[in-house]
Every structure is written in C-alpha cells, then in structure tokens.
Amino acid sequence: MNHDSDDMIEKRKRRSKLRAFRNLLLFLLIVGFCGYLYVQRDMWIPKLEGIGSRYDSVTQNDGTLAEGNFPLTISGSSSYQADIVDDTLFLLHDAYLDTYSLHGDSGDTRQHAFQNAMMCSGGKYALLYESGGTSFRLDTKHKNVYSKSVDNDIISGTVSDNGTVALITESSSYACSILVYDNTGKRIYQRNCVEYVVDIAFHKDNDGLCFTSVQVENGVMNSTITSVLFHQVDTQWTSMPLETMSVKSGFSSNDKLCVVGNTACAYYSSTGEMLGTYNYNGTLVSADLENGKAALIIQDDQKRNTSLVLLDQSVSSPKVISIDSSAELVRVFDGDAIVMSPGNITSYAFSGDAIATVKLEGAYTSFLKQDGYLFLLGYDQIDRVDFKE
C-alpha cells in the first residue's frame, strides 16, 4: 500500500511540475508577444486605428451615381471647366457658358468669344477671362453683369465674394501690372510691379489685397507678400522673403494670411508678421486652402510614403495622416479636406479623423462638393454622387 501511495504522490508531483512549467511557458510567451507588440507599436497602432475609424465611424456612401439629368455630357471639345457659383453649376466649354441646377436641370446658355477662356469663382460671382488675350467678364447665376477689355494681355485673374475683380496683366515697361475693378466694372486700383506676381488674395473685408511676387536670388526661389489698400498709393506692408515658390494664398476669417508654397507653408498676421512656417520633406502633389485651413498631399520619396498634412490656421500642431500613394488631389470644402484617389474619395476633419468615403467606378480628374453631393469631373462628362458626412 505504501508503495502504491508513494507512486501516486510522485505522479501528482510530476503533474504539478508539468502544469507549473506549462503555465510558466505560457506566461513567457505572452510577455514576449506583448513585448513584440510594444516594439512594433508604430507599425500596428496606426493600422488598428485606421481600421477602427474606417469601419466604425466613417460614413460609407454607396457610390451609386445620380440618374435623370446626370451625367452631363460635354459636347464638342472635351476641354471644359466647372465650378459651383451660388448653388449653381457653371460649365465653361468651347464658346459657351452653361448653367445647371444641382440636380442637373438646364439653366442659361451664354455665348462668349474668348480664345483661351478661364473661369474662377467667388461667392455669387464668376470671372471669365481670356488668358493671353484682353477680354474679361463678370457673371452671376442670373446674368452677365458686364464685359470689358484691357490694354495688355491677361496673365491670370481672381474675383472676391463681393464681385471685385483683380487681373494680372503683361506690361511693356514693367514685369506685370495689377488692375482691380468693382462689381460694376469701374476700375478702382492699378499698380505696376517690378517683380513677377504669381498670386493675389483679397483682404477679408475686400478693401485691398495681398499679392505674392517671386524672384530668384543665387539660385534660390523666394516669395514676397505685399499688402495694399485700394484707396491709397503707398504699400501697407511687405513681408520678409520666404524661400519657396508660392502656389496659393488666402485670408482666414480672423485676418490671418496663409501662403502655400511648393516647399513650405507660412502664416502671416494682418500686419505682415510671420507667425510660423511648415517645411515639407518631400514633393507637394496637391494643395488647397479655405478660410486659413491648408490641406497638403506630400510624397516623401526617401521614406516611400504619402501623407495628408492638415494645418488649421497655424503650423504649431499639424495633423499628419498616412494615405495611399495613389492620392492625387485634395480640396477643402466647408472646413473638411477631401482627398481623391483613382478608386475612392475620402473626407477628413482637420482634427485628422476620417469622416466619410465613397468608392468610384469611373475615371475622374477632379470634383466639386455642394449640399451633400460630389460632382465628379470626367473626361467629357460630369457625374453626381451622394456624399453624406
């Protein structure tokens, strides 16, 4: 009996030791796995966050294209321009400016005689001008407000939300000239510039503008911002040179000026003081700006990644989001950054969170957004798709 009892005790001890060994091994495996996850956290946490935000909190639009009046087919030349002006779709092509409701109902068809017509919008106004020519006109959704011509060829133009038009024109004696007209067609300002002007941004209250000029010094491209008021001759202020090629500029509602360049983005106060700069490590693929909010797609060839950079009226706390390398266009509409890739469009809040997405079946080059719709600009047609956020 004692011998059998000893054998049972010995077996229990062996089983106990085996259980203890298995528990220890399991514990060490768990600790090792947790350690691995910690070391690799920079790789898996963003993916986990991306999955969570992509499928739990992002609005999934079904991608069904609108029927009825859509798609809008562009007849004749496939080269066209489209914009939203006062809840109306403006379509510029060949010798015509056509207007449509957001549901595709046909409005006006207006003729123009511009050889190389360009269009831009501001609020309830659309500016049409002849690039490399001398003619321009101001339109609303209701009518053509006026048509005029200038003495020298137009390089570019812009229009404010109260219908003030600014043109950059060639000049026989200077690098270029700036001409400004009010919404009745009266010229209210003229300036001859010794540097080449690449961009114009109207002051928040439309009493003046800031123009960005560029020059090369010792092989370095510099951009300088100059502020002027329409009712005075003297310059209001001139900034220190910024080492970049300016691409786009604009004021925020609190009077900050944002200048987006090909290598850096900078903010300025209403008196021209530089508030901060953000330098890019990579190539600027696309950029847009609305009310001081800048959205940039940066492709870093060395790290082989593509990022969406969001700057909300400041460079102090940029949001940097890793996105697909196929992303080709970003636009800012109603305070959100919307990124287009060949297969989808995704919107982001400036907090960095993805908001909504929609899959695309066709090939599109650009898009517009208005009232919960995306207008998809294709080669020779425009589609519409729901985009709820």
Side-chain angles (χ1 to χ4, degrees), residues 6 23 31 51 54 69 73 115-117 143 174 195 213 221 252 290 316 320 330 348:
D6 290 342
N23 290 339
V31 169
I51 291 171
R54 186 175 301 169
N69 295 322
T73 303
Q115 288 296 318
N116 187 18
K143 63 178 181 178
Y174 296 88
E195 287 90 19
S213 55
M221 179 72 74
S252 65
E290 180 192 71
S316 60
V320 182
V330 63
Y348 297 84

Side-chain angles (χ1 to χ4, degrees), residues 136-349:
F136 71 100
R137 56 187 274 179
L138 186 69
D139 283 70
T140 66
K141 69 178 180 181
H142 301 295
K143 63 178 181 178
N144 168 236
V145 181
Y146 67 78
S147 299
K148 295 184 75 71
S149 63
V150 291
D151 295 332
N152 296 298
D153 288 347
I154 300 169
I155 299 170
S156 66
T158 187
V159 59
S160 75
D161 56 9
N162 75 342
T164 304
V165 170
L167 303 174
I168 303 171
T169 71
E170 294 181 359
S171 172
S172 57
S173 305
Y174 296 88
C176 63
S177 296
I178 297 174
L179 307 176
V180 181
Y181 299 81
D182 67 14
N183 58 18
T184 68
K186 176 185 176 183
R187 185 184 294 183
I188 58 174
Y189 183 82
Q190 179 174 353
R191 184 185 184 92
N192 297 316
C193 303
V194 294
E195 287 90 19
Y196 185 67
V197 177
V198 295
D199 193 43
I200 286 176
F202 288 101
H203 290 176
K204 182 185 64 172
D205 51 9
N206 295 308
D207 64 345
L209 55 79
C210 284
F211 64 87
T212 306
S213 55
V214 296
Q215 54 186 356
V216 179
E217 294 181 1
N218 301 321
V220 177
M221 179 72 74
N222 287 311
S223 296
T224 303
I225 299 92
T226 303
S227 179
V228 299
L229 297 173
F230 297 147
H231 65 269
Q232 69 182 40
V233 176
D234 295 337
T235 297
Q236 192 179 25
W237 54 260
T238 301
S239 73
M240 295 293 291
L242 178 66
E243 193 175 311
T244 193
M245 171 66 184
S246 176
V247 174
K248 192 182 292 279
S249 64
F251 277 94
S252 65
S253 57
N254 59 2
D255 229 16
K256 286 182 183 177
L257 176 68
C258 180
V259 176
V260 178
N262 66 329
T263 59
C265 180
Y267 284 88
Y268 298 84
S269 71
S270 59
T271 57
E273 175 192 3
M274 183 180 284
L275 302 176
T277 60
Y278 181 87
N279 296 298
Y280 319 146
N281 292 318
T283 302
L284 181 67
V285 176
S286 178
D288 201 20
L289 183 63
E290 180 192 71
N291 191 24
K293 292 185 173 185
L296 322 166
I297 296 178
I298 308 293
Q299 199 166 61
D300 192 327
D301 296 328
Q302 290 184 341
K303 293 184 179 180
R304 294 184 179 181
N305 63 17
T306 302
S307 299
L308 173 65
V309 179
L310 303 175
L311 304 171
D312 192 353
Q313 301 192 28
S314 171
V315 299
S316 60
S317 55
K319 301 296 181 183
V320 182
I321 305 150
S322 182
I323 59 175
D324 192 271
S325 60
S326 64
E328 54 196 12
L329 178 67
V330 63
R331 301 289 305 273
V332 184
F333 288 104
D334 302 322
D336 296 329
I338 308 178
V339 177
M340 170 183 267
S341 298
N344 66 80
I345 290 179
T346 302
S347 65
Y348 297 84

Side-chain angles (χ1 to χ4, degrees), residues 61-66 357-358 371-374 384-388:
N61 292 283
D62 63 12
T64 301
L65 299 178
T357 187
V358 64
D371 293 354
Y373 302 120
L374 288 179
R384 194 193 76 183
V385 65
D386 289 338
F387 196 72
K388 308 299 182 186

